Amino acid sequence: MHPHAARHPGNIDQNCLRVLAWETTRACPLACPHCRAAAVDFRDPDELTTEEAVAMLKSAAEMGPALVILSGGEPLLREDLEEIAAKAVEMGHRPVVSCNDGRLLTDARLESLAKAGIKHFSFSMHSSSEADHDAFVRIPGTYQEALRAFSRIKAHGMSFQINTTVLPTNSSRLEEIKDWVVALGAAAWHLFFIVPTGRAADGGSEVELPPHEIERVLQYVAENSDTWQIPVKVTCAPQYAQIRAEMGREPGSRGRSCMAGNGFVFVSWCGEVKPCGYFDMVVGNIRKTSLKEIYQGSVELKNMRTPEKLEGVCGLCRFNRICGGCRARAHAVHGSYMATDPNCKFSAGQRDKT
């Protein structure tokens, strides 16, 4: 067994919820072609109510407390966001806001969010170039509005991170983007890799990165990020943990790299529970069953927490306890959430088969 496989067995307490991502609304002013939520430009009347959201948080607290990611769509469109955040804090959770429209993050809104207990934000920024970023999100001025929002966040003594989706247009410019993110004063930089769901399922060459290019990017980040001036996290490319382990470095994750359903769960705008936001697979609805009952009792989630049940190369791979493959991508491409992750080059698994 590889030494890091023993050190990071992936056996977290299966009754414990570490991260809850809640899609507060599908409404969003932007129109990004890779949008997981396939966001719309209106608030749906069937969104979870304030009371339903609080009940969800209470159920989560019975398994937590957790990091609660208030996402969307655009969560700042919800006028009850502060009330919900304050309730989350009362229960011991740590709420953060994952937003994208800097115009909505005014000084007044920042002040009210701070009073509610929000200390950290994330913004999706996909290029250090204003023209490239605005062209991608389809709304002129978004880049500059975000920069102004970053300045206001820092002025209020709060922090923010940058989420960058690795795309054909930026995969060769990550060093430049990293330096830009550092110069902005961001607290962290998260790199996301496309799962073909939502709008990304039809995104084509604008969003699709071939596996060999994904491998090149992951190798580059693994080899260099330990010396960067900013913490970096890789999301939706769990083979990053395998790459680091093969280099003799800590995989960089606690438990399995793919946390979907394994310490992490996603709740949609209408209460549907999914292993993560990139899954087109519903395992329950909090309007019918408590989040705790769904998270701890779902057969699908239990299967995903068991590396021995993984199929294909992921099932054979000696790194499946620290990697596990992207279950959402396996489901989207193969129709099976336990199948091989198609984005991995399968090097470790292929060796194990010989």
Side-chain angles (χ1 to χ4, degrees), residues 32-296:
C32 307
H34 71 313
C35 180
R36 165 205 61 75
V40 293
D41 58 3
F42 60 89
R43 293 277 305 279
D44 195 296
D46 199 36
E47 288 174 2
L48 293 183
T49 65
T50 307
E51 293 73 22
E52 288 172 325
V54 171
M56 172 187 66
L57 292 172
K58 183 176 180 181
S59 186
E62 295 175 2
M63 303 179 283
L67 171 68
V68 176
I69 304 172
L70 301 170
S71 71
E74 177 50 76
L76 296 172
L77 293 174
R78 284 196 66 132
E79 65 282 348
D80 60 352
L81 197 64
E82 285 85 346
E83 180 180 354
I84 292 169
K87 290 290 186 181
V89 172
E90 287 177 15
M91 296 175 194
H93 296 303
R94 182 163 65 94
V96 298
V97 175
S98 179
C99 54
N100 296 295
D101 192 344
R103 297 171 298 181
L104 301 176
L105 208 53
T106 62
D107 282 312
R109 195 73 195 271
L110 282 164
E111 185 175 344
S112 66
L113 286 167
K115 288 180 179 177
I118 297 295
K119 299 178 180 178
H120 187 71
F121 299 84
S122 71
F123 269 76
S124 293
M125 302 292 291
H126 310 296
S127 177
S128 56
S129 160
E130 178 177 357
D132 289 350
H133 178 77
D134 285 357
F136 186 74
V137 302
R138 310 308 201 241
I139 304 294
T142 300
Y143 178 98
Q144 287 297 333
E145 291 291 353
L147 265 55
R148 284 189 276 269
F150 299 156
S151 295
R152 292 192 293 270
I153 289 170
K154 290 187 289 186
H156 283 265
M158 303 155 91
S159 62
F160 67 94
Q161 73 185 46
I162 298 295
N163 297 338
T164 299
T165 299
V166 181
L167 303 161
T169 54
N170 66 15
S171 64
S172 62
R173 297 165 52 199
L174 292 181
E175 183 79 20
E176 169 193 327
I177 297 173
K178 179 264 297 181
D179 291 342
W180 174 71
V181 171
V182 170
L184 287 173
W189 187 33
H190 288 204
L191 295 173
F192 284 73
F193 289 79
I194 289 291
V195 176
T197 188
R199 287 198 199 116
D202 302 310
S205 61
E206 186 174 16
V207 300
E208 291 178 1
L209 205 63
H212 72 271
E213 181 65 5
I214 292 171
E215 192 76 14
R216 183 195 67 78
V217 171
L218 294 177
Q219 288 280 355
Y220 158 75
V221 176
E223 290 168 1
N224 294 283
S225 60
D226 289 353
T227 62
W228 287 347
Q229 299 168 275
I230 190 168
V232 176
K233 184 177 185 296
V234 170
T235 299
C236 296
Q239 65 268 37
Y240 179 69
Q242 173 201 133
I243 290 170
R244 287 187 60 88
E246 288 188 300
M247 293 169 58
R249 301 184 182 185
E250 288 294 324
S253 60
R254 196 176 107 205
R256 239 184 27 243
S257 187
C258 179
M259 289 180 61
N262 191 35
F264 179 104
V265 76
F266 172 91
V267 178
S268 80
W269 60 277
C270 61
E272 293 175 336
V273 179
K274 302 179 181 182
C276 82
Y278 298 98
F279 257 96
D280 188 21
M281 181 177 77
V282 178
V283 299
N285 193 302
I286 65 164
R287 284 175 163 159
K288 298 178 181 179
T289 311
S290 75
L291 181 61
K292 181 180 180 181
E293 289 179 85
I294 296 169
Y295 180 77
Q296 295 183 348

